[in-house]
Amino acid sequence: MNATHTPATLLLVDDEPSILSALRRLLRPTGYTVLTATSGAEGLALLTTQEVALVVSDMRMPGMDGAQFLEQVRAQWPDTVRLLLTGYADMSSTIDAINRGEIYRYIAKPWDDHELLLVIRQALEQRALRFENQRLLALTQTQNAELQTLNAGLAQTVAARTSELAQLNEFLNLANTQLRQQFLTTVKVFSSLLELRGGGVAGHARRVADLARKLAQQMNLSEAEQHHIFLAALLHDIGKIGFPDQLLNKPVSLLSTRELTEYRRHAKVGENALLPLHELKGVAHMVRSHHERHDGRGFPDGLSGEDIPVGSRVIALANDFDGLVSGTHSETHFPPEQARTQIRQARGHHYHPDVVDAFLILWDRGEWLAHDTHLTPASKLSPGMVLARDFVTEQGTLLLAAEQRLSAPIIARLQVMTRRDGSELALPIKP
């Protein structure tokens, strides 16, 4: 398949012609070939005659709903990227669609045009990268077969082929690195969806993830554990994505009995949402247990002491500290010093002593803060520069992920945003 040199073909499936018309207008300037269908059956019929790179399907449709349709697309055309468009906050139906259709992302109605275009572009880029990786793997296998047939006495030829193989391995390593980076970026984008709702949640997941990773480093956990704790911290509140705005932005201490019951479900819901992804099974277990307490009085399972996953112990402290400072934990915004005192006083009953000790060491060194790196104005950027950390808007929207290498088109878009908004953007650039 060639996913990079020809315009991608998209299939839009929705039983409402007005929605299809709006999507076609949005996609018209992109150059994609756009097909439409008003039912799942019609969409499946089109897929048998057309090579489609990406499908955007509505959830609620008569006859065959979005979950059933995307499940059949996954079974018959697994290389076709699947996006779900939903206009209602039904977490169980959304999780069902994720499990059965293995969707790349779900997008809530009404959608944000810029976000939808960005998601489609990223999905197609990841698909193209996957095909390129397959091509390189096949090419490597071919080269290995040729090397086995060479005469052992042709030393010069063997040396030349070995050099070519080394180059191919380098290309493969680069492709795999890009895939891992794409995966991390996808996790960050997924995490930022909740923060787009505004209120006290804006920036919360990234602050918790930053502090949790520093705590894991201070506790001398392995690189793999640090990475999984960082991912789990980014996604620890993903189970709240179906909360109404009133519940999402209400401090925990002010919740009614009914609201508190609904609130306590989010740890299990978050685990269920992540379990279908093999790479995130360990992360899912950390998300489930991040509200457990050292003394066994937490939820949802009442675990205590060493029975709580170490990542969950770390995230619990980081989450509560940010909640105290930001005001999501109670109606009072605590100064960092008072929040530190509360954390220290809870050592040994709410939090594991080792985690509190690590936090106090970070506090004494001033490393609990997210220090800014050198900021470079958009007008001073040049191709090849690398982001030192995530670049987000004031509302918490992820624009570019850490380790992103800037290209000329990306810089041009940033400069257009600067001119449009009338203020100079500044990005954290690695030295």
Side-chain angles (χ1 to χ4, degrees):
M1 298 182 186
N2 189 331
T4 57
H5 299 299
T6 57
T9 298
L10 313 184
L11 173 60
L12 313 176
V13 183
D14 197 302
D15 61 320
E16 296 183 39
S18 61
I19 297 294
L20 294 176
S21 297
L23 289 171
R24 287 185 69 94
R25 286 194 300 271
L26 175 63
L27 293 169
R28 187 173 295 124
T30 63
Y32 301 139
T33 300
V34 179
L35 308 175
T36 60
T38 57
S39 68
E42 184 181 350
L44 293 175
L46 278 172
L47 285 165
T48 61
T49 62
Q50 301 277 348
E51 181 177 344
V52 174
L54 182 143
V55 172
V56 180
S57 173
D58 187 27
M59 181 62 192
R60 277 190 175 178
M61 295 185 294
M64 182 188 303
D65 66 17
Q68 296 168 329
F69 169 66
L70 292 177
E71 181 182 15
Q72 294 199 37
V73 174
R74 177 189 64 80
Q76 300 181 53
W77 299 277
D79 290 330
T80 298
V81 184
R82 299 167 292 281
L83 303 181
L84 181 68
L85 199 62
T86 178
Y88 61 101
D90 188 345
M91 179 53 68
S92 62
S93 296
T94 301
I95 292 174
D96 185 48
I98 293 173
N99 290 340
R100 294 166 59 184
E102 294 183 3
I103 65 170
Y104 174 79
R105 282 277 301 281
Y106 96 88
I107 301 162
K109 293 181 181 177
W111 63 82
D112 177 84
D113 287 350
H114 175 73
E115 179 193 359
L116 179 57
L117 291 174
L118 180 63
V119 169
I120 290 174
R121 186 175 74 249
Q122 289 177 338
L124 293 173
E125 288 174 352
Q126 183 168 335
R127 179 176 184 269
L129 184 59
R130 185 170 67 251
F131 287 156
E132 178 65 9
N133 198 26
Q134 293 171 356
R135 185 189 71 81
L136 289 173
L137 285 171
L139 183 58
T140 301
Q141 293 170 355
T142 301
Q143 293 291 334
N144 285 334
E146 291 178 1
L147 284 172
Q148 292 174 1
T149 62
L150 288 176
N151 190 301
L154 299 178
Q156 184 176 3
T157 303
V158 170
R161 296 300 188 191
T162 302
S163 176
E164 291 177 10
L165 185 60
Q167 291 180 358
L168 287 171
N169 285 334
E170 184 179 347
F171 293 150
L172 279 173
N173 289 334
L174 176 60
N176 287 329
T177 299
Q178 290 174 330
L179 279 174
R180 289 194 296 271
Q181 185 62 35
Q182 285 280 357
F183 177 75
L184 179 58
T185 300
T186 300
V187 170
K188 291 178 179 178
V189 171
F190 195 34
S191 170
S192 71
L193 289 179
L194 186 65
E195 302 188 352
L196 292 176
R197 304 266 301 270
V201 298
H204 171 70
R206 288 188 180 82
R207 293 192 299 270
V208 171
D210 180 66
L211 179 55
R213 179 159 54 183
K214 291 177 180 178
L215 287 169
Q217 291 171 345
Q218 179 60 38
M219 294 170 64
N220 294 318
L221 300 181
S222 68
E223 290 286 341
E225 288 176 305
Q226 293 176 30
H227 177 67
H228 287 139
I229 289 172
F230 179 72
L231 293 179
L234 282 173
L235 297 170
H236 73 281
D237 276 343
I238 202 64
K240 297 179 180 178
I241 201 164
F243 280 10
D245 289 343
Q246 181 181 2
L247 177 59
L248 186 65
N249 294 316
K250 193 173 184 179
V252 178
S253 61
L254 297 180
L255 298 180
S256 65
T257 301
R258 180 187 60 80
E259 290 173 330
L260 191 60
T261 300
E262 183 177 0
Y263 169 82
R264 290 191 168 194
R265 292 182 59 247
H266 82 269
K268 291 182 180 179
V269 172
E271 180 193 37
N272 292 336
L274 299 176
L275 276 177
L277 298 173
H278 177 74
E279 296 86 350
L280 295 179
K281 288 188 182 299
V283 168
H285 296 320
M286 292 185 205
V287 169
R288 179 187 180 95
S289 301
H290 78 276
H291 279 294
E292 301 288 358
R293 290 176 40 146
H294 187 65
D295 58 11
R297 298 172 62 187
F299 64 88
D301 303 309
L303 302 180
S304 63
E306 303 299 322
D307 291 335
I308 304 172
V310 64
S312 300
R313 301 175 220 160
V314 170
I315 295 169
L317 186 149
N319 179 46
D320 287 355
F321 177 76
D322 189 75
L324 289 169
V325 174
S326 64
T328 59
H329 196 73
S330 67
E331 63 271 29
T332 303
H333 288 253
F334 287 87
E337 293 78 7
Q338 291 185 22
R340 168 196 173 276
T341 299
Q342 290 209 23
I343 295 293
R344 182 173 55 79
Q345 291 174 346
R347 181 185 186 274
H349 57 89
H350 197 127
Y351 309 111
H352 193 286
D354 291 348
V355 184
V356 175
D357 293 344
F359 172 73
L360 295 176
I361 291 173
L362 292 179
W363 179 279
D364 290 340
R365 295 204 301 249
E367 295 179 8
W368 60 277
L369 292 168
H371 295 293
D372 278 336
T373 52
H374 178 64
L375 297 178
T376 302
S379 59
K380 304 290 186 181
L381 298 174
S382 60
M385 289 183 171
V386 178
L387 280 181
R389 56 178 171 78
D390 293 342
F391 179 55
V392 298
T393 65
E394 293 180 356
Q395 293 74 31
T397 305
L398 177 68
L399 292 182
L400 296 169
E403 304 299 327
Q404 171 77 51
R405 187 174 297 276
L406 300 183
S407 63
I410 291 176
I411 293 172
R413 288 197 294 271
L414 291 170
Q415 292 172 346
V416 168
M417 291 174 60
T418 293
R419 292 193 295 270
R420 183 189 63 201
D421 299 338
S423 60
E424 180 75 288
L425 294 176
L427 278 68
I429 299 297
K430 280 190 172 184

